[in-house]
Amino acid sequence: MDLLMDCVLFIIAGIGAYIGAYAKEKGKNQASKEDFYDLKEQLDQNTQLVEKIKSQISERGWIDQQTWLVKRESYDAIFELMFNIKTYVDRETEEYDEWYYHEYLCYDERIVRSGC
């Protein structure tokens, strides 16, 4: 009878260990399942946030590009006007130098005698 009792206790202990391990694994699975939905929700929120940031960066890049195009056109116009001003000043300087040189030569008494 002791042998039978030992066998029954051994079988009950084995079944108890199996049920305990099963319950533990089932509990892990249930916790993972609950965590899965929470993690999925967080992932959805993160994905939406990342897409929003990407959209804002793309929009900002487009705005910067359009702003640069307008600035470049303005810079081109300014440089063209500055070049025209430089050309005008150079021409006026040359004319002044010619006039000054001519007047200097014509009013110098030594050169006036030569028939300037």
Side-chain angles (χ1 to χ4, degrees):
M1 182 118 165
D2 279 338
L3 184 60
L4 182 62
M5 193 64 147
D6 287 341
C7 287
V8 170
L9 285 176
F10 181 73
I11 291 172
I12 290 175
I15 290 173
Y18 175 76
I19 290 174
Y22 177 79
K24 183 179 178 182
E25 190 64 30
K26 195 68 164 166
K28 283 183 184 178
N29 289 342
Q30 184 65 28
S32 295
K33 191 175 185 181
E34 290 173 2
D35 288 345
F36 173 76
Y37 291 116
D38 290 341
L39 292 173
K40 185 177 181 225
E41 182 66 29
Q42 288 178 2
L43 180 62
D44 289 342
Q45 290 174 356
N46 286 345
T47 302
Q48 290 175 358
L49 182 62
V50 167
E51 291 300 321
K52 183 178 177 182
I53 291 170
K54 283 171 57 176
S55 174
Q56 289 174 346
I57 289 171
S58 175
E59 181 180 331
R60 183 64 189 171
W62 183 83
I63 290 171
D64 288 345
Q65 182 182 13
Q66 297 304 313
T67 302
W68 170 245
L69 290 174
V70 172
K71 284 181 179 180
R72 193 182 91 201
E73 290 173 2
S74 299
Y75 293 152
D76 288 344
I78 289 169
F79 288 138
E80 184 178 347
L81 291 171
M82 290 176 71
F83 178 76
N84 290 341
I85 290 170
K86 182 187 179 313
T87 304
Y88 173 78
V89 169
D90 288 345
R91 195 173 309 138
E92 290 297 315
T93 302
E94 287 176 11
E95 288 181 16
Y96 174 77
D97 288 344
E98 287 177 12
W99 172 82
Y100 183 78
Y101 182 73
H102 179 69
E103 292 295 318
Y104 178 76
L105 289 178
C106 287
Y107 288 114
D108 190 351
E109 292 181 47
R110 292 175 283 165
I111 298 180
V112 170
R113 283 186 244 138
S114 69
C116 185

